[in-house]
Amino acid sequence: TQLLEQSPQFLSIQEGENLTVYCNSSSVFSSLQWYRQEPGEGPVLLVTVVTGGEVKKLKRLTFQFGDARKDSSLHITAAQPGDTGLYLCAGANNDMRFGAGTRLTVKP
Amino acid sequence: GAGVSQSPRYKVAKRGQDVALRCDPISGHVSLFWYQQALGQGPEFLTYFQNEAQLDKSGLPSDRFFAERPEGSVSTLKIQRTQQEDSAVYLCASSPTGGDEKLFFGSGTQLSVL
């Protein structure tokens, strides 16, 4: 059973479109992290959010931590084929638990 | 080494065989995690070490799974009497201090049980 629920599970869009993926939980986390994983590799950290309501931007990626520190969203502007991958959120409370991920495909 | 190293990269086992998967974390990293990732799924937590102490093993699916980190560095995940449902990628990650910091992952060991 996943502690963190991610939606959508799959997302296929055209290059240039915007998208938002979500990470929800009934648990409160001290911090929440977003990772991106490519086939045959381990996940790589994109960002850590710590404060409720926090917004962080990483180029075309915008991450938000919910006010209650139970949920988060990742928004990608003008998606590119290089954004294709599995996006994972992970909640931290002494250890790190992952959601099932959103598999994003960006078509040229 | 520069990153987390896992070996072997691929392992094919016959059902009932015992396997041992190795993880070399980044030098000096205190925390070490093992995760199991089924095809198309996110990593499922197995167990967590701080130095040589196994602080949480609640994710180990059965008593056939055993992990150790005797000197607080290299860790081994052992699976006894492998079953087909054990087929997955086993990921190891380390972090500098506590368990809620940035994780650095290895590339994983892909285990196939026939």
Side-chain angles (χ1 to χ4, degrees):
Chain A
T1 303
Q2 302 281 164
L3 186 62
L4 292 141
E5 297 292 330
Q6 290 192 243
S7 61
Q9 188 177 356
F10 299 96
L11 186 56
S12 181
I13 61 171
Q14 292 294 134
E15 182 176 3
E17 293 183 3
N18 302 332
L19 66 115
T20 303
V21 299
Y22 301 92
C23 174
N24 296 293
S25 177
S26 57
S27 298
V28 176
F29 297 105
S30 58
S31 66
L32 194 139
Q33 300 181 350
W34 284 92
Y35 289 78
R36 180 165 167 260
Q37 185 178 23
E38 299 197 40
E41 298 298 326
V44 176
L45 181 70
L46 296 173
V47 78
T48 300
V49 284
V50 178
T51 306
E54 181 177 3
V55 176
K56 279 193 174 178
K57 292 194 174 186
L58 184 66
K59 296 183 181 178
R60 293 177 293 101
L61 279 60
T62 302
F63 305 85
Q64 184 161 8
F65 201 11
D67 291 341
R69 306 206 321 275
K70 293 182 179 181
D71 53 80
S72 182
S73 63
L74 159 59
H75 182 80
I76 301 179
T77 303
Q80 300 177 359
D83 295 328
T84 293
L86 179 66
Y87 288 82
L88 296 159
C89 67
N93 273 326
N94 299 315
D95 60 18
M96 197 74 70
R97 305 294 174 111
F98 283 79
T102 292
R103 189 164 298 278
L104 172 65
T105 302
V106 182
K107 302 175 188 175
Chain B
V4 177
S5 177
Q6 291 188 246
S7 60
R9 187 76 174 86
Y10 301 93
K11 176 68 180 177
V12 179
K14 291 184 179 179
R15 189 167 40 182
Q17 188 178 352
D18 296 350
V19 299
L21 312 180
R22 178 186 168 104
C23 173
D24 279 273
I26 293 173
S27 179
H29 276 198
V30 168
S31 295
L32 185 146
F33 295 79
W34 283 100
Y35 292 89
Q36 180 191 60
Q37 188 172 25
L39 189 64
Q41 298 296 313
E44 289 272 5
F45 172 81
L46 293 177
T47 187
Y48 162 52
F49 291 86
Q50 267 201 13
N51 297 306
E52 70 279 5
Q54 191 174 20
L55 298 187
D56 188 344
K57 56 181 181 179
S58 62
L60 296 175
S62 76
D63 58 8
R64 296 186 295 105
F65 286 70
F66 172 76
E68 60 183 3
R69 194 187 184 199
E71 297 179 359
S73 178
V74 171
S75 178
T76 304
L77 176 66
K78 297 179 180 178
I79 309 174
Q80 297 177 321
R81 304 181 304 281
T82 52
Q83 304 293 314
Q84 283 188 320
E85 62 262 28
D86 300 335
S87 296
V89 174
Y90 290 85
L91 292 167
C92 175
S94 68
S95 72
T97 54
D100 56 356
E101 295 195 32
K102 174 181 178 178
L103 298 184
F104 294 80
F105 279 86
S107 297
T109 292
Q110 185 170 329
L111 173 65
S112 299
V113 182
L114 307 178

